[in-house]
Amino acid sequence: MSIGQPSGAQILWQALEREGVEVVFGYPGGAIMPAYDTLLDSKIRHVLVRHEQGAAHMADGYARASGRVGVAVATSGPGATNLVTGIATAMLDSVPIVCITGQVSSKIIGSDAFQETDITGVTLPITKHNYLVTRASDIARTIREAFHVARSGRPGPVLVDITKDAQQAHADPMWDDKPVSLPGYRPKYRAHAEDVSRAAEMIDRAERPIILSGHGIVRAEASSLLFEFVDKTGIPVASTLLGLGGFPATHPLSLGMMGMHGEAWVNQAIQEADLLVALGMRFDDRVTGKLETYAPNAKKIHCELDPAEINKNVRADVALVGDVKETLEALFPLVTRKNRLKWTDRISKIKGNAAVRDIQHMPHGGRLFAAHVMHDLWRITEGRALVVTDVGQHQMWEAQYYKHDFPRKLITSGGLGTMGFALPAALGARFAQPKDEIWVIAGDGGFQMTACELATIAQEGVKLNIAIINNGYLGMVRQWQEFFYDGRYSATPLRSPDFVKLAEAHGLRGLRVTKREEIEETVGLARASKETVLIDFRVEQEDSVYPMVPAGAALDDMIRRPSAIVETAQDD
Ligand SMILES: Cc1ncc(C[n+]2csc(CCOP(=O)(O)OP(=O)(O)O)c2C)c(N)n1
């Protein structure tokens, strides 16, 4: 070390500033104290979370809302392990985050030192890459690489574990602004021209094609191009959960969500299709149902960034590996302008039959259905809010009834299905989109998993709108028990605190809605308020999400809303 050289801790913040980081979400502790000390001299804003899981979800929400890399910071041992759920959530949804953890000093690694956990070992399968840094002189280079890996190719979480002595030592940072090049890491692919031509011919020949639009469309900022592509080819679009908003839900050729809780007509149309054009989606089991019976008559064109996804679940007739926007750009001039009225008429016919069972068409008879809350929220916010949902029935109702017309306006944990995600992810999104109207939609169960972040919201003085869809149950599990376990409600009835008082205890505002007529005014109060408002929506307790394809069943084997319920509702 020579006098005047910065410490590893100082290099860390400078390296983050050079990556354009403006805010990090974290929690201090022994092994990361040198970094927290030098944080005071940095321009970067630090948000003190109440639990490190919240920090990872905030970084994730920030990344999804902005398209930039989110950053979480934690200490070694329990701090680091508390990040794990958030890292796995980001991994399964391909979200670029960088997690920085303190580690015990390099000399005592492996001695079961106080708060020592092998966090690079723990997170190996749930990170895109991770690093253990033991020298101050490696910090700058490692942070650059970490950001490059997180954001390039198929994005994902990267963890950088830095020993305490590396933070304390002084070194030459060796700044380097050349593009990062890592041996063996080839994140960029481009679809072969012959395959693009074959795909275009298949699209032209198809009589019953469907586009399956996924998260990749949103991530690649390919929404407007998809819009033009659909305009030219006349192909209807079905969306995955994470793809919602990638193509406008109110467009006449938008069919809605596919899969387990997708619209009945979407799943039926997929089963009747002769061509699936999959764009930035990975044929998750919640999307395909039973693979042997999935889209039996359809050829498949799979446009995907990650070659590992090709032929993983569904065999592709043509694979176009590369950025989905670049692939669409190449395809666009080769396809013929068409309308496909016969096919869209056929889909409208299937739809006509399903729509009569739609809960929106039923009188509510004084009762408050979650679906009505979603529908009214969509109407009142004119479909423009950024909605962050938790996991469960409310998540599916939101996907069905809040019509997203814009990309990056729905943030939800799709792959891991992480309860407790919504509140912290929304707080992260708030820092990415300071002007957006943000609504958290959470169940009474999931909300309680990370409700401690209400204190973070209060401390940071930020404005969110929080809707708790309170049905007194772990609703989605209760629904499965009703359908598949003879109605034996094991461990699903749920007693909750008074959410209104909980909000007030945090210095926030709490309101309650028990009837549909109260929605408009209460939502209006929340929207008009400058402070965070939590609304406790007391909804029907034993309503279920329909339609439903039971896990592992064929897409055509849907459980539909029983007509008995239609009649009961109409009797009211
Ligand atoms: C961390 C975590 N634990 C357990 C589950 C399993 N799970 C999925 S949905 C659900 C029930 C959610 O209940 P609630 O938050 O009240 O929402 P609702 O389904 O009633 O809308 C559970 C327990 C999960 N997804 N995540």
PDB file of all heavy atoms in Angstrom, residues 53 85 390-395 397 416-420 442-447 449 469 471-478 494, ligand 1:
ATOM      1  N   GLN A  53     -34.044  -9.545   2.930  1.00  0.00           N
ATOM      2  CA  GLN A  53     -34.870 -10.039   1.810  1.00  0.00           C
ATOM      3  C   GLN A  53     -35.497  -8.854   1.085  1.00  0.00           C
ATOM      4  O   GLN A  53     -35.576  -8.816  -0.143  1.00  0.00           O
ATOM      5  CB  GLN A  53     -35.978 -10.981   2.311  1.00  0.00           C
ATOM      6  CG  GLN A  53     -36.867 -11.483   1.183  1.00  0.00           C
ATOM      7  CD  GLN A  53     -38.038 -12.340   1.654  1.00  0.00           C
ATOM      8  OE1 GLN A  53     -38.093 -12.743   2.819  1.00  0.00           O
ATOM      9  NE2 GLN A  53     -38.966 -12.622   0.767  1.00  0.00           N
ATOM     10  N   THR A  85     -33.699 -15.557  -0.824  1.00  0.00           N
ATOM     11  CA  THR A  85     -35.000 -15.631  -1.503  1.00  0.00           C
ATOM     12  C   THR A  85     -35.113 -14.569  -2.601  1.00  0.00           C
ATOM     13  O   THR A  85     -35.625 -14.834  -3.688  1.00  0.00           O
ATOM     14  CB  THR A  85     -36.144 -15.449  -0.486  1.00  0.00           C
ATOM     15  OG1 THR A  85     -36.002 -16.468   0.505  1.00  0.00           O
ATOM     16  CG2 THR A  85     -37.506 -15.570  -1.134  1.00  0.00           C
ATOM     17  N   ASP A 390     -48.193  -9.326  -5.336  1.00  0.00           N
ATOM     18  CA  ASP A 390     -47.593 -10.401  -4.560  1.00  0.00           C
ATOM     19  C   ASP A 390     -47.998 -11.719  -5.235  1.00  0.00           C
ATOM     20  O   ASP A 390     -48.255 -11.729  -6.446  1.00  0.00           O
ATOM     21  CB  ASP A 390     -48.064 -10.310  -3.107  1.00  0.00           C
ATOM     22  CG  ASP A 390     -46.942 -10.708  -2.159  1.00  0.00           C
ATOM     23  OD1 ASP A 390     -46.006  -9.915  -1.979  1.00  0.00           O
ATOM     24  OD2 ASP A 390     -47.001 -11.835  -1.619  1.00  0.00           O
ATOM     25  N   VAL A 391     -48.053 -12.795  -4.477  1.00  0.00           N
ATOM     26  CA  VAL A 391     -48.282 -14.098  -5.099  1.00  0.00           C
ATOM     27  C   VAL A 391     -49.504 -14.768  -4.494  1.00  0.00           C
ATOM     28  O   VAL A 391     -49.653 -14.808  -3.279  1.00  0.00           O
ATOM     29  CB  VAL A 391     -47.032 -14.982  -4.935  1.00  0.00           C
ATOM     30  CG1 VAL A 391     -47.305 -16.415  -5.347  1.00  0.00           C
ATOM     31  CG2 VAL A 391     -45.896 -14.395  -5.761  1.00  0.00           C
ATOM     32  N   GLY A 392     -50.368 -15.262  -5.357  1.00  0.00           N
ATOM     33  CA  GLY A 392     -51.568 -15.941  -4.884  1.00  0.00           C
ATOM     34  C   GLY A 392     -52.731 -15.623  -5.788  1.00  0.00           C
ATOM     35  O   GLY A 392     -52.551 -15.221  -6.946  1.00  0.00           O
ATOM     36  N   GLN A 393     -53.944 -15.770  -5.252  1.00  0.00           N
ATOM     37  CA  GLN A 393     -55.143 -15.521  -6.061  1.00  0.00           C
ATOM     38  C   GLN A 393     -55.194 -14.091  -6.584  1.00  0.00           C
ATOM     39  O   GLN A 393     -55.496 -13.846  -7.748  1.00  0.00           O
ATOM     40  CB  GLN A 393     -56.388 -15.771  -5.196  1.00  0.00           C
ATOM     41  CG  GLN A 393     -56.624 -17.215  -4.839  1.00  0.00           C
ATOM     42  CD  GLN A 393     -57.909 -17.369  -4.058  1.00  0.00           C
ATOM     43  OE1 GLN A 393     -58.126 -16.665  -3.064  1.00  0.00           O
ATOM     44  NE2 GLN A 393     -58.765 -18.270  -4.484  1.00  0.00           N
ATOM     45  N   HIS A 394     -54.874 -13.125  -5.713  1.00  0.00           N
ATOM     46  CA  HIS A 394     -54.963 -11.716  -6.116  1.00  0.00           C
ATOM     47  C   HIS A 394     -54.052 -11.435  -7.310  1.00  0.00           C
ATOM     48  O   HIS A 394     -54.359 -10.619  -8.164  1.00  0.00           O
ATOM     49  CB  HIS A 394     -54.575 -10.808  -4.934  1.00  0.00           C
ATOM     50  CG  HIS A 394     -53.153 -11.016  -4.523  1.00  0.00           C
ATOM     51  ND1 HIS A 394     -52.757 -12.051  -3.718  1.00  0.00           N
ATOM     52  CD2 HIS A 394     -52.036 -10.369  -4.890  1.00  0.00           C
ATOM     53  CE1 HIS A 394     -51.457 -12.014  -3.580  1.00  0.00           C
ATOM     54  NE2 HIS A 394     -50.983 -11.006  -4.281  1.00  0.00           N
ATOM     55  N   GLN A 395     -52.920 -12.145  -7.360  1.00  0.00           N
ATOM     56  CA  GLN A 395     -51.959 -11.968  -8.465  1.00  0.00           C
ATOM     57  C   GLN A 395     -52.606 -12.385  -9.786  1.00  0.00           C
ATOM     58  O   GLN A 395     -52.458 -11.723 -10.816  1.00  0.00           O
ATOM     59  CB  GLN A 395     -50.725 -12.839  -8.167  1.00  0.00           C
ATOM     60  CG  GLN A 395     -49.628 -12.813  -9.214  1.00  0.00           C
ATOM     61  CD  GLN A 395     -48.555 -13.869  -8.928  1.00  0.00           C
ATOM     62  OE1 GLN A 395     -48.839 -14.934  -8.351  1.00  0.00           O
ATOM     63  NE2 GLN A 395     -47.329 -13.580  -9.302  1.00  0.00           N
ATOM     64  N   TRP A 397     -55.934 -12.622 -10.327  1.00  0.00           N
ATOM     65  CA  TRP A 397     -57.059 -11.723 -10.634  1.00  0.00           C
ATOM     66  C   TRP A 397     -56.545 -10.413 -11.223  1.00  0.00           C
ATOM     67  O   TRP A 397     -57.158  -9.847 -12.124  1.00  0.00           O
ATOM     68  CB  TRP A 397     -57.895 -11.465  -9.367  1.00  0.00           C
ATOM     69  CG  TRP A 397     -58.863 -12.576  -9.068  1.00  0.00           C
ATOM     70  CD1 TRP A 397     -59.691 -13.198  -9.965  1.00  0.00           C
ATOM     71  CD2 TRP A 397     -59.122 -13.188  -7.803  1.00  0.00           C
ATOM     72  NE1 TRP A 397     -60.441 -14.160  -9.328  1.00  0.00           N
ATOM     73  CE2 TRP A 397     -60.113 -14.172  -7.997  1.00  0.00           C
ATOM     74  CE3 TRP A 397     -58.622 -12.998  -6.517  1.00  0.00           C
ATOM     75  CZ2 TRP A 397     -60.604 -14.954  -6.970  1.00  0.00           C
ATOM     76  CZ3 TRP A 397     -59.108 -13.770  -5.492  1.00  0.00           C
ATOM     77  CH2 TRP A 397     -60.094 -14.752  -5.711  1.00  0.00           C
ATOM     78  N   LEU A 416     -40.432 -17.788  -9.466  1.00  0.00           N
ATOM     79  CA  LEU A 416     -40.304 -18.361  -8.119  1.00  0.00           C
ATOM     80  C   LEU A 416     -41.623 -18.254  -7.358  1.00  0.00           C
ATOM     81  O   LEU A 416     -41.868 -19.039  -6.459  1.00  0.00           O
ATOM     82  CB  LEU A 416     -39.179 -17.661  -7.339  1.00  0.00           C
ATOM     83  CG  LEU A 416     -38.627 -18.449  -6.156  1.00  0.00           C
ATOM     84  CD1 LEU A 416     -37.897 -19.706  -6.603  1.00  0.00           C
ATOM     85  CD2 LEU A 416     -37.712 -17.609  -5.278  1.00  0.00           C
ATOM     86  N   GLY A 417     -42.450 -17.306  -7.721  1.00  0.00           N
ATOM     87  CA  GLY A 417     -43.729 -17.143  -7.010  1.00  0.00           C
ATOM     88  C   GLY A 417     -43.487 -16.824  -5.549  1.00  0.00           C
ATOM     89  O   GLY A 417     -43.957 -17.521  -4.650  1.00  0.00           O
ATOM     90  N   THR A 418     -42.776 -15.720  -5.306  1.00  0.00           N
ATOM     91  CA  THR A 418     -42.316 -15.401  -3.957  1.00  0.00           C
ATOM     92  C   THR A 418     -43.314 -14.522  -3.210  1.00  0.00           C
ATOM     93  O   THR A 418     -43.470 -13.340  -3.516  1.00  0.00           O
ATOM     94  CB  THR A 418     -40.966 -14.650  -4.043  1.00  0.00           C
ATOM     95  OG1 THR A 418     -40.066 -15.446  -4.814  1.00  0.00           O
ATOM     96  CG2 THR A 418     -40.391 -14.405  -2.667  1.00  0.00           C
ATOM     97  N   MET A 419     -43.992 -15.104  -2.222  1.00  0.00           N
ATOM     98  CA  MET A 419     -44.833 -14.279  -1.350  1.00  0.00           C
ATOM     99  C   MET A 419     -43.938 -13.307  -0.584  1.00  0.00           C
ATOM    100  O   MET A 419     -42.810 -13.651  -0.225  1.00  0.00           O
ATOM    101  CB  MET A 419     -45.590 -15.154  -0.347  1.00  0.00           C
ATOM    102  CG  MET A 419     -46.743 -15.933  -0.943  1.00  0.00           C
ATOM    103  SD  MET A 419     -47.368 -17.120   0.256  1.00  0.00           S
ATOM    104  CE  MET A 419     -48.176 -16.054   1.448  1.00  0.00           C
ATOM    105  N   GLY A 420     -44.436 -12.123  -0.358  1.00  0.00           N
ATOM    106  CA  GLY A 420     -43.643 -11.111   0.347  1.00  0.00           C
ATOM    107  C   GLY A 420     -42.877 -10.211  -0.606  1.00  0.00           C
ATOM    108  O   GLY A 420     -42.193  -9.281  -0.194  1.00  0.00           O
ATOM    109  N   ALA A 442     -51.519  -6.980  -2.718  1.00  0.00           N
ATOM    110  CA  ALA A 442     -50.984  -8.131  -1.973  1.00  0.00           C
ATOM    111  C   ALA A 442     -52.112  -8.849  -1.251  1.00  0.00           C
ATOM    112  O   ALA A 442     -53.143  -8.250  -0.931  1.00  0.00           O
ATOM    113  CB  ALA A 442     -49.942  -7.655  -0.964  1.00  0.00           C
ATOM    114  N   GLY A 443     -51.903 -10.131  -0.989  1.00  0.00           N
ATOM    115  CA  GLY A 443     -52.851 -10.892  -0.173  1.00  0.00           C
ATOM    116  C   GLY A 443     -52.551 -10.635   1.300  1.00  0.00           C
ATOM    117  O   GLY A 443     -51.478 -10.124   1.653  1.00  0.00           O
ATOM    118  N   ASP A 444     -53.511 -11.007   2.151  1.00  0.00           N
ATOM    119  CA  ASP A 444     -53.284 -10.802   3.589  1.00  0.00           C
ATOM    120  C   ASP A 444     -52.147 -11.681   4.094  1.00  0.00           C
ATOM    121  O   ASP A 444     -51.471 -11.339   5.070  1.00  0.00           O
ATOM    122  CB  ASP A 444     -54.579 -11.022   4.402  1.00  0.00           C
ATOM    123  CG  ASP A 444     -55.417 -12.209   3.946  1.00  0.00           C
ATOM    124  OD1 ASP A 444     -55.290 -12.630   2.782  1.00  0.00           O
ATOM    125  OD2 ASP A 444     -56.218 -12.715   4.754  1.00  0.00           O
ATOM    126  N   GLY A 445     -51.898 -12.817   3.422  1.00  0.00           N
ATOM    127  CA  GLY A 445     -50.795 -13.692   3.834  1.00  0.00           C
ATOM    128  C   GLY A 445     -49.444 -13.117   3.429  1.00  0.00           C
ATOM    129  O   GLY A 445     -48.585 -12.847   4.271  1.00  0.00           O
ATOM    130  N   GLY A 446     -49.251 -12.933   2.136  1.00  0.00           N
ATOM    131  CA  GLY A 446     -47.955 -12.474   1.624  1.00  0.00           C
ATOM    132  C   GLY A 446     -47.556 -11.119   2.172  1.00  0.00           C
ATOM    133  O   GLY A 446     -46.385 -10.863   2.438  1.00  0.00           O
ATOM    134  N   PHE A 447     -48.562 -10.263   2.391  1.00  0.00           N
ATOM    135  CA  PHE A 447     -48.245  -8.926   2.892  1.00  0.00           C
ATOM    136  C   PHE A 447     -47.513  -9.006   4.231  1.00  0.00           C
ATOM    137  O   PHE A 447     -46.573  -8.263   4.495  1.00  0.00           O
ATOM    138  CB  PHE A 447     -49.515  -8.088   3.027  1.00  0.00           C
ATOM    139  CG  PHE A 447     -49.240  -6.683   3.469  1.00  0.00           C
ATOM    140  CD1 PHE A 447     -48.761  -5.753   2.554  1.00  0.00           C
ATOM    141  CD2 PHE A 447     -49.404  -6.301   4.793  1.00  0.00           C
ATOM    142  CE1 PHE A 447     -48.462  -4.462   2.958  1.00  0.00           C
ATOM    143  CE2 PHE A 447     -49.110  -5.013   5.198  1.00  0.00           C
ATOM    144  CZ  PHE A 447     -48.641  -4.087   4.283  1.00  0.00           C
ATOM    145  N   MET A 449     -45.545 -11.191   5.243  1.00  0.00           N
ATOM    146  CA  MET A 449     -44.177 -11.723   5.182  1.00  0.00           C
ATOM    147  C   MET A 449     -43.115 -10.617   5.166  1.00  0.00           C
ATOM    148  O   MET A 449     -42.009 -10.834   5.621  1.00  0.00           O
ATOM    149  CB  MET A 449     -44.011 -12.600   3.948  1.00  0.00           C
ATOM    150  CG  MET A 449     -44.676 -13.942   4.102  1.00  0.00           C
ATOM    151  SD  MET A 449     -43.980 -15.124   2.954  1.00  0.00           S
ATOM    152  CE  MET A 449     -44.707 -16.631   3.587  1.00  0.00           C
ATOM    153  N   ILE A 469     -55.744  -7.462  -0.442  1.00  0.00           N
ATOM    154  CA  ILE A 469     -56.932  -8.232  -0.817  1.00  0.00           C
ATOM    155  C   ILE A 469     -57.105  -9.269   0.296  1.00  0.00           C
ATOM    156  O   ILE A 469     -56.506 -10.350   0.272  1.00  0.00           O
ATOM    157  CB  ILE A 469     -56.753  -8.878  -2.212  1.00  0.00           C
ATOM    158  CG1 ILE A 469     -56.356  -7.806  -3.253  1.00  0.00           C
ATOM    159  CG2 ILE A 469     -58.012  -9.627  -2.634  1.00  0.00           C
ATOM    160  CD1 ILE A 469     -57.337  -6.644  -3.401  1.00  0.00           C
ATOM    161  N   ASN A 471     -58.821 -11.860   2.317  1.00  0.00           N
ATOM    162  CA  ASN A 471     -59.877 -12.874   2.291  1.00  0.00           C
ATOM    163  C   ASN A 471     -59.813 -13.810   3.500  1.00  0.00           C
ATOM    164  O   ASN A 471     -60.520 -14.817   3.552  1.00  0.00           O
ATOM    165  CB  ASN A 471     -59.847 -13.678   0.974  1.00  0.00           C
ATOM    166  CG  ASN A 471     -58.482 -14.273   0.705  1.00  0.00           C
ATOM    167  OD1 ASN A 471     -57.630 -14.312   1.600  1.00  0.00           O
ATOM    168  ND2 ASN A 471     -58.261 -14.758  -0.503  1.00  0.00           N
ATOM    169  N   GLY A 472     -58.938 -13.527   4.439  1.00  0.00           N
ATOM    170  CA  GLY A 472     -58.894 -14.334   5.664  1.00  0.00           C
ATOM    171  C   GLY A 472     -58.318 -15.727   5.471  1.00  0.00           C
ATOM    172  O   GLY A 472     -58.396 -16.578   6.367  1.00  0.00           O
ATOM    173  N   TYR A 473     -57.773 -15.967   4.300  1.00  0.00           N
ATOM    174  CA  TYR A 473     -57.172 -17.274   4.014  1.00  0.00           C
ATOM    175  C   TYR A 473     -55.862 -17.085   3.258  1.00  0.00           C
ATOM    176  O   TYR A 473     -55.652 -16.035   2.624  1.00  0.00           O
ATOM    177  CB  TYR A 473     -58.072 -18.101   3.084  1.00  0.00           C
ATOM    178  CG  TYR A 473     -59.258 -18.740   3.748  1.00  0.00           C
ATOM    179  CD1 TYR A 473     -60.523 -18.181   3.617  1.00  0.00           C
ATOM    180  CD2 TYR A 473     -59.115 -19.922   4.474  1.00  0.00           C
ATOM    181  CE1 TYR A 473     -61.632 -18.762   4.203  1.00  0.00           C
ATOM    182  CE2 TYR A 473     -60.221 -20.514   5.064  1.00  0.00           C
ATOM    183  CZ  TYR A 473     -61.479 -19.948   4.933  1.00  0.00           C
ATOM    184  OH  TYR A 473     -62.563 -20.539   5.512  1.00  0.00           O
ATOM    185  N   LEU A 474     -55.016 -18.122   3.288  1.00  0.00           N
ATOM    186  CA  LEU A 474     -53.957 -18.228   2.280  1.00  0.00           C
ATOM    187  C   LEU A 474     -54.706 -18.728   1.045  1.00  0.00           C
ATOM    188  O   LEU A 474     -54.826 -19.918   0.784  1.00  0.00           O
ATOM    189  CB  LEU A 474     -52.871 -19.208   2.740  1.00  0.00           C
ATOM    190  CG  LEU A 474     -52.124 -18.751   4.009  1.00  0.00           C
ATOM    191  CD1 LEU A 474     -51.162 -19.822   4.499  1.00  0.00           C
ATOM    192  CD2 LEU A 474     -51.385 -17.435   3.762  1.00  0.00           C
ATOM    193  N   GLY A 475     -55.255 -17.765   0.309  1.00  0.00           N
ATOM    194  CA  GLY A 475     -56.333 -18.045  -0.639  1.00  0.00           C
ATOM    195  C   GLY A 475     -55.994 -19.066  -1.711  1.00  0.00           C
ATOM    196  O   GLY A 475     -56.796 -19.960  -1.991  1.00  0.00           O
ATOM    197  N   MET A 476     -54.833 -18.930  -2.340  1.00  0.00           N
ATOM    198  CA  MET A 476     -54.544 -19.839  -3.450  1.00  0.00           C
ATOM    199  C   MET A 476     -54.388 -21.278  -2.959  1.00  0.00           C
ATOM    200  O   MET A 476     -54.824 -22.227  -3.616  1.00  0.00           O
ATOM    201  CB  MET A 476     -53.282 -19.377  -4.191  1.00  0.00           C
ATOM    202  CG  MET A 476     -52.991 -20.173  -5.442  1.00  0.00           C
ATOM    203  SD  MET A 476     -54.382 -20.153  -6.602  1.00  0.00           S
ATOM    204  CE  MET A 476     -53.923 -18.810  -7.681  1.00  0.00           C
ATOM    205  N   VAL A 477     -53.805 -21.436  -1.773  1.00  0.00           N
ATOM    206  CA  VAL A 477     -53.661 -22.787  -1.234  1.00  0.00           C
ATOM    207  C   VAL A 477     -55.041 -23.310  -0.813  1.00  0.00           C
ATOM    208  O   VAL A 477     -55.388 -24.468  -1.044  1.00  0.00           O
ATOM    209  CB  VAL A 477     -52.656 -22.810  -0.059  1.00  0.00           C
ATOM    210  CG1 VAL A 477     -52.516 -24.222   0.498  1.00  0.00           C
ATOM    211  CG2 VAL A 477     -51.291 -22.287  -0.510  1.00  0.00           C
ATOM    212  N   ARG A 478     -55.841 -22.438  -0.218  1.00  0.00           N
ATOM    213  CA  ARG A 478     -57.215 -22.825   0.133  1.00  0.00           C
ATOM    214  C   ARG A 478     -57.968 -23.308  -1.101  1.00  0.00           C
ATOM    215  O   ARG A 478     -58.670 -24.312  -1.068  1.00  0.00           O
ATOM    216  CB  ARG A 478     -57.954 -21.633   0.767  1.00  0.00           C
ATOM    217  CG  ARG A 478     -59.353 -21.986   1.263  1.00  0.00           C
ATOM    218  CD  ARG A 478     -60.333 -20.832   1.187  1.00  0.00           C
ATOM    219  NE  ARG A 478     -60.549 -20.346  -0.160  1.00  0.00           N
ATOM    220  CZ  ARG A 478     -61.266 -20.969  -1.093  1.00  0.00           C
ATOM    221  NH1 ARG A 478     -61.847 -22.141  -0.829  1.00  0.00           N
ATOM    222  NH2 ARG A 478     -61.381 -20.469  -2.320  1.00  0.00           N
ATOM    223  N   LEU A 494     -56.485 -17.726   8.153  1.00  0.00           N
ATOM    224  CA  LEU A 494     -55.402 -16.825   8.553  1.00  0.00           C
ATOM    225  C   LEU A 494     -55.962 -15.657   9.347  1.00  0.00           C
ATOM    226  O   LEU A 494     -56.837 -14.938   8.873  1.00  0.00           O
ATOM    227  CB  LEU A 494     -54.750 -16.308   7.263  1.00  0.00           C
ATOM    228  CG  LEU A 494     -53.583 -15.368   7.345  1.00  0.00           C
ATOM    229  CD1 LEU A 494     -52.346 -16.126   7.821  1.00  0.00           C
ATOM    230  CD2 LEU A 494     -53.305 -14.768   5.969  1.00  0.00           C
TER     231      LEU A 494
HETATM  232  C1  LIG B   1     -42.637 -17.592   0.379  1.00  0.00           C
HETATM  233  C2  LIG B   1     -43.763 -18.460  -0.064  1.00  0.00           C
HETATM  234  N1  LIG B   1     -44.271 -19.382   0.777  1.00  0.00           N
HETATM  235  C3  LIG B   1     -45.311 -20.166   0.379  1.00  0.00           C
HETATM  236  C4  LIG B   1     -45.848 -20.032  -0.868  1.00  0.00           C
HETATM  237  C5  LIG B   1     -47.008 -20.923  -1.321  1.00  0.00           C
HETATM  238  N2  LIG B   1     -48.193 -20.119  -1.596  1.00  0.00           N
HETATM  239  C6  LIG B   1     -48.540 -19.733  -2.841  1.00  0.00           C
HETATM  240  S1  LIG B   1     -49.904 -18.783  -2.880  1.00  0.00           S
HETATM  241  C7  LIG B   1     -50.100 -18.913  -1.224  1.00  0.00           C
HETATM  242  C8  LIG B   1     -51.253 -18.243  -0.524  1.00  0.00           C
HETATM  243  C9  LIG B   1     -51.185 -16.762  -0.606  1.00  0.00           C
HETATM  244  O1  LIG B   1     -52.108 -16.214   0.287  1.00  0.00           O
HETATM  245  P1  LIG B   1     -52.363 -14.665   0.351  1.00  0.00           P
HETATM  246  O2  LIG B   1     -51.074 -13.936   0.436  1.00  0.00           O
HETATM  247  O3  LIG B   1     -53.332 -14.375   1.430  1.00  0.00           O
HETATM  248  O4  LIG B   1     -52.956 -14.333  -1.089  1.00  0.00           O
HETATM  249  P2  LIG B   1     -54.304 -14.900  -1.774  1.00  0.00           P
HETATM  250  O5  LIG B   1     -53.976 -16.170  -2.459  1.00  0.00           O
HETATM  251  O6  LIG B   1     -55.335 -15.084  -0.708  1.00  0.00           O
HETATM  252  O7  LIG B   1     -54.671 -13.824  -2.759  1.00  0.00           O
HETATM  253  C10 LIG B   1     -49.085 -19.696  -0.650  1.00  0.00           C
HETATM  254  C11 LIG B   1     -48.983 -20.017   0.793  1.00  0.00           C
HETATM  255  C12 LIG B   1     -45.249 -19.081  -1.718  1.00  0.00           C
HETATM  256  N3  LIG B   1     -45.656 -18.913  -2.959  1.00  0.00           N
HETATM  257  N4  LIG B   1     -44.241 -18.296  -1.284  1.00  0.00           N
END
